[in-house]
Amino acid sequence: MEVRGPRAAMPTEEGRYGRLWARTGTKVCSFWLEGRCTRNPCRFLHVELPPPRNNNIACRHPVVKPKSGGGASNGKGSKGKDGFKPEERLCQHWVSGISCVKGDKCEFRHSWSRGEGFSLLAKLDGHDKGIAGIAFPSGLDKLYTGSNDGMVKIWDCHTGQCSDTVNVGSEVGCLISEGPWVFAGLRNVIKAWNVENGAVFDLQFSSGLVFSMVVDNNMLFAGCQPCFGEDELIPRQQFHFQPISDIEGLESNSIVDVIGVVCFISPASSIMRKNGTETLKRTLRLKDESGRSVELTMWRSFCNAGGQRLQTLCDSGHSPVLAVKSGRISEFNGKAIGTISSTQLTIDPDIEEARRLKEWFDREGKDGPTVSISREVSTISRTDVRKTISQIKDEKLGTSEKPDWIAVCATIMYIKNDNFCYMGCPIMIGDRQCNKKVTNNGMGSIDVIAVIDVLMNAITGTFSSFRYRTILG
């Protein structure tokens, strides 16, 4: 028969956890607080902590462990794992709004700012979304804030309270102030308020939401980004094209818009102007569905980027479409078009006229006959005719006063080895160089062998430099 002793009485709740108090401290079981702790006994408390003896809650500051090899540290001046000193960290009770019993003697910061001379004056709560801009008009004790929630709020700088709210009806992209003016960048509009006289203006446009603004020299500059689907509202270049056949009836110096396929382009060349200065020139030929072609002369900067791109496309076998905006008509050797400072050239524009012209050229215009309206003394148009060398001799072409325009296809059999250039005189006559022929005297200097008339005097000289000039035959 088994005999058992009397079962010891179960300790009370206070006695059971009283023994664990010293071992677990004041830590309450988080699972017990959620009602799902399965341990019995549990090494953590299953009771609520009693309230503190005083009404204020002491700061829960981290315990600073003593450094190895030395005595305990008081925590002042020592950095924690986050690399900050205690005086650089925020007091957790101050942040949560609970008064700290240490007050000004707390080793943790009771301020949002770390710099000297800065302190939090007020916390402005009121916007539902992010702040897009803050404006502080000069001579006013009001602060303006704009938010993505479509509201512009006015705050009293003395009390920190919102004194007025303006519903602008759209998210605010930016907000600035200049003198008594406050500008709010919205979608497709900029609102302007004058805080002195109460004037309100709306600057309407169609370019999307304004993200930045700046005022300089009494002018307001705004930067915006078009939203999806709004790029169609941006104005595009407008053309008023005229067929090449109609250019024959236009007067000289008229301004015209023309579009055509580039069927020929010449390399850029340097020519001497009447005033003695040099300039770049490039010539190309345009043809369109009217069966006519016209010569376009590109001057100065038009020969560089745009002209080189056209040259590259033509050399690779492509025939690009060129739209000319504001070209000037000339009547030198027939009707031609030249570029001026306001001319705009667009290569392969994304417009219906260019697509239709390209389809016509690929279908029939590439090999079809073309009548040129350029390089003619009279207004009668001409057709380029291909001739052989024997026909040129038999028909005595080029011997009359009127030039004969022909096309020749031949093979180069021999190139004459004469000089293609000569050494030019470096003397400056006014604003241009003389460029007369000089010769080397064999002593490291150059002799001028041409006579230069300056003030009716024949001048020769010896120089140590020259400039090569190209001979064109």
Side-chain angles (χ1 to χ4, degrees):
M1 181 175 183
E2 184 180 357
V3 179
R4 297 182 179 181
R7 177 178 294 182
M10 295 294 295
T12 62
E13 189 77 13
E14 182 178 359
R16 177 187 303 170
Y17 293 102
R19 294 191 298 270
L20 297 175
W21 188 278
R23 186 156 53 100
T24 62
T26 60
K27 191 171 183 179
V28 180
C29 178
S30 59
F31 292 91
W32 176 81
L33 292 175
E34 298 174 1
R36 55 189 185 92
C37 181
T38 59
R39 294 185 178 183
N40 189 12
C42 179
R43 66 189 187 95
F44 297 102
L45 298 179
H46 281 201
V47 294
E48 296 286 351
L49 290 178
R53 296 180 181 179
N54 49 15
N55 294 331
N56 294 327
I57 301 178
C59 291
R60 293 174 291 178
H61 301 306
V63 179
V64 181
K65 296 183 180 180
K67 297 182 180 180
S68 59
S73 173
N74 58 2
K76 284 193 175 183
S78 60
K79 296 184 178 180
K81 294 182 179 180
D82 55 0
F84 293 100
K85 298 179 181 179
E87 58 269 18
E88 296 176 346
R89 302 191 190 99
L90 288 173
C91 176
Q92 298 300 319
H93 289 283
W94 179 83
V95 172
S96 61
I98 304 175
S99 62
C100 177
V101 295
K102 293 187 177 181
D104 296 338
K105 296 182 180 181
C106 181
E107 60 180 337
F108 295 93
R109 285 193 301 111
H110 286 197
S111 173
W112 291 105
S113 60
R114 292 176 55 184
E116 296 181 359
F118 293 93
S119 61
L120 180 65
L121 298 180
K123 189 176 181 180
L124 310 181
D125 291 325
H127 287 292
D128 296 332
K129 295 183 179 180
I131 305 298
I134 300 175
F136 192 30
S138 59
L140 199 66
D141 58 351
K142 304 292 183 182
L143 184 70
Y144 288 73
T145 59
S147 171
N148 296 330
D149 57 6
M151 300 292 179
V152 173
K153 291 185 175 292
I154 306 174
W155 307 85
D156 192 318
C157 296
H158 298 289
T159 63
Q161 301 297 321
C162 179
S163 60
D164 196 6
T165 300
V166 180
N167 187 352
V168 295
S170 171
E171 62 175 318
V172 180
C174 59
L175 189 74
I176 65 170
S177 63
E178 179 69 20
W181 289 95
V182 177
F183 301 96
L186 312 176
R187 188 177 302 279
N188 300 332
V189 65
I190 297 177
K191 283 190 172 293
W193 294 278
N194 191 309
V195 297
E196 291 182 351
N197 55 25
V200 181
F201 296 96
D202 288 346
L203 309 179
Q204 301 284 346
F205 57 93
S206 299
S207 297
L209 182 62
V210 179
F211 285 100
S212 62
M213 292 183 293
V214 65
V215 178
D216 183 35
N217 196 21
N218 295 327
M219 297 182 67
L220 176 65
F221 299 88
C224 56
Q225 179 180 1
C227 297
F228 179 76
E230 291 185 351
D231 54 346
E232 298 295 335
L233 301 177
I234 302 177
R236 295 187 177 184
Q237 178 69 64
Q238 298 295 325
F239 294 96
H240 302 282
F241 296 123
Q242 295 191 21
I244 296 178
S245 58
D246 294 348
I247 297 178
E248 294 182 88
L250 298 180
E251 297 181 357
S252 180
N253 294 326
S254 299
I255 305 300
V256 65
D257 297 349
V258 65
I259 185 172
V261 180
V262 180
C263 54
F264 167 80
I265 184 171
S266 66
S269 60
S270 178
I271 65 172
M272 186 71 67
R273 301 174 65 92
K274 293 181 179 180
N275 58 3
T277 61
E278 292 187 3
T279 184
L280 289 177
K281 176 185 178 181
R282 189 190 291 265
T283 304
L284 58 86
R285 182 170 297 176
L286 298 175
K287 63 187 303 185
D288 65 359
E289 297 172 290
S290 65
R292 299 290 192 269
S293 65
V294 65
E295 186 178 277
L296 172 66
T297 302
M298 306 169 66
W299 298 97
R300 293 180 291 277
S301 60
F302 292 99
C303 299
N304 298 327
Q308 187 59 44
R309 182 184 173 190
L310 289 172
Q311 182 81 58
T312 303
L313 292 173
C314 292
D315 292 345
S316 61
H318 298 282
S319 299
V321 176
L322 179 64
V324 182
K325 176 70 175 178
S326 301
R328 183 170 61 186
I329 299 177
S330 63
E331 292 185 352
F332 180 74
N333 285 344
K335 291 294 178 65
I337 302 176
T339 60
I340 55 179
S341 59
S342 60
T343 301
Q344 299 181 24
L345 304 180
T346 307
I347 303 175
D348 289 330
D350 186 17
I351 55 178
E352 182 61 29
E353 293 87 345
R355 289 188 289 268
R356 185 176 64 251
L357 187 60
K358 189 66 174 177
E359 293 176 358
W360 165 82
F361 183 80
D362 294 338
R363 184 177 63 253
E364 57 178 305
K366 185 176 183 180
D367 300 324
T370 304
V371 178
S372 176
I373 65 173
S374 303
R375 295 182 178 269
E376 275 291 326
V377 177
S378 63
T379 57
I380 302 176
S381 61
R382 64 174 176 84
T383 303
D384 289 341
V385 180
R386 178 173 292 185
K387 295 288 184 178
T388 63
I389 297 178
S390 60
Q391 288 175 328
I392 297 175
K393 182 178 179 181
D394 296 339
E395 298 177 11
K396 298 181 179 180
L397 299 179
T399 59
S400 62
E401 295 181 358
K402 180 180 178 181
D404 296 313
W405 298 96
I406 60 174
V408 178
C409 181
T411 302
I412 299 176
M413 303 298 297
Y414 172 75
I415 299 178
K416 192 175 181 180
N417 293 326
D418 287 344
N419 292 334
F420 68 94
C421 63
Y422 68 92
M423 295 182 291
C425 174
I427 295 179
M428 297 299 297
I429 302 177
D431 58 348
R432 68 182 183 89
Q433 189 171 333
C434 170
N435 293 327
K436 297 291 184 177
K437 187 177 180 180
V438 299
T439 182
N440 194 340
N441 61 8
M443 301 180 60
S445 61
I446 304 299
D447 286 336
V448 180
I449 63 174
V451 177
I452 307 172
D453 292 331
V454 179
L455 299 179
M456 303 302 294
N457 296 323
I459 298 177
T460 60
T462 301
F463 304 93
S464 59
S465 63
F466 63 92
R467 180 179 181 183
Y468 279 114
R469 301 291 299 173
T470 304
I471 301 176
L472 298 179

